[in-house]
Amino acid sequence: MSFKKVLLASALIIASTAASALPIITGSIDFLGSISLSGTDTNGNGVDYLEADSIQLTNLLLIGGTGAYASIPANTSTIFSQINLDPITASNPLWIIDTGSASFSFEADSLQIDLRTATDLLLSGSGWLKADGYEDTRGYWDFSSQSGVSFSANANVPEPGTLALFGLGLAGLGFTRRKQA
C-alpha cells in the first residue's frame, strides 16, 4: 500500500473520530447545605467530627456553576451520598442533580481526609464527572465543614488544533524520510 493511501486513511480515521466525539465537561460546581453527623457522643457536647462515623450532607443546594454547569439554575436540589469516615468510603454516585431536562453526577474513585479535628473536617478526592450530552471527564472535589462542597472538571484532552498540528508534523517527517530514501 502506498504512503499516500496510508496517510489519507489515517486522516479520515482521525477526522471521523473527532467529529463524533462528545464535548468534555468544563467548569466547576459549588454546593452549600447542612451537615448531619452520625456517631457516639463521648464528651457530652454532641457528636463532633472526631467522634463521627459518617457525615450526610442534607438540604444541599447548588450555589454556583461555571462551564457545563452554568445552565443549572441556582438553588437546584442535589442528592448527596453518605460519606463514612472510618474508613473513608461512599457509595456512587457521590452526588446527582436531575433538572428534568439534564442529569449531572460525580462517581468518586478516591476519597481522603485532609484534616479532621473536633470542629473542622476537610475532605478531597477525584473521580468522574458525568453529564447528559458530555464525555465523562476526570474531576476533583473538596469538602470543607466551613465552606461547603466544590467540584471541578480537569480534562487533559488535546485540542483538535493540537491533533491537526501533530498529524501534519508526522506527515512532514514521512515525506522527508521518503525523499532521503
Side-chain angles (χ1 to χ4, degrees):
M1 189 187 287
S2 76
F3 179 73
K4 288 181 182 178
K5 288 182 182 177
V6 171
L7 185 61
L8 180 60
S10 299
L12 289 174
I13 290 171
I14 290 172
S16 67
T17 302
S20 65
L22 293 172
I24 60 170
I25 298 171
T26 60
S28 64
I29 188 167
D30 297 309
F31 305 101
L32 198 56
S34 304
I35 304 168
S36 298
L37 304 176
S38 298
T40 304
D41 180 8
T42 59
N43 57 18
N45 296 330
V47 177
D48 62 35
Y49 291 111
L50 285 176
E51 299 169 321
D53 298 323
S54 65
I55 63 168
Q56 178 68 52
L57 303 173
T58 58
N59 303 318
L60 203 61
L61 298 175
L62 171 76
I63 58 170
T66 64
Y69 301 105
S71 63
I72 305 172
N75 298 322
T76 299
S77 181
T78 305
I79 299 170
F80 210 97
S81 295
Q82 176 176 300
I83 298 175
N84 300 310
L85 298 174
D86 209 4
I88 187 160
T89 60
S91 55
N92 279 316
L94 187 57
W95 58 262
I96 189 166
I97 298 172
D98 190 351
T99 65
S101 60
S103 178
F104 300 84
S105 64
F106 184 79
E107 302 273 338
D109 60 18
S110 80
L111 303 165
Q112 69 183 39
I113 298 173
D114 297 319
L115 174 72
R116 187 176 183 185
T117 68
T119 58
D120 292 315
L121 181 65
L122 299 175
L123 306 174
S124 65
S126 61
W128 294 95
L129 295 156
K130 299 175 180 246
D132 295 340
Y134 288 90
E135 188 77 34
D136 292 353
T137 305
R138 191 83 178 142
Y140 298 90
W141 68 279
D142 60 74
F143 163 81
S144 166
S145 58
Q146 305 300 313
S147 61
V149 184
S150 178
F151 290 82
S152 62
N154 184 14
N156 295 320
V157 178
E159 294 291 327
T162 304
L163 288 175
L165 285 174
F166 180 69
L168 286 172
L170 286 177
L173 287 173
F175 285 124
T176 302
R177 183 167 183 219
R178 187 174 176 152
K179 282 186 177 184
Q180 289 175 353

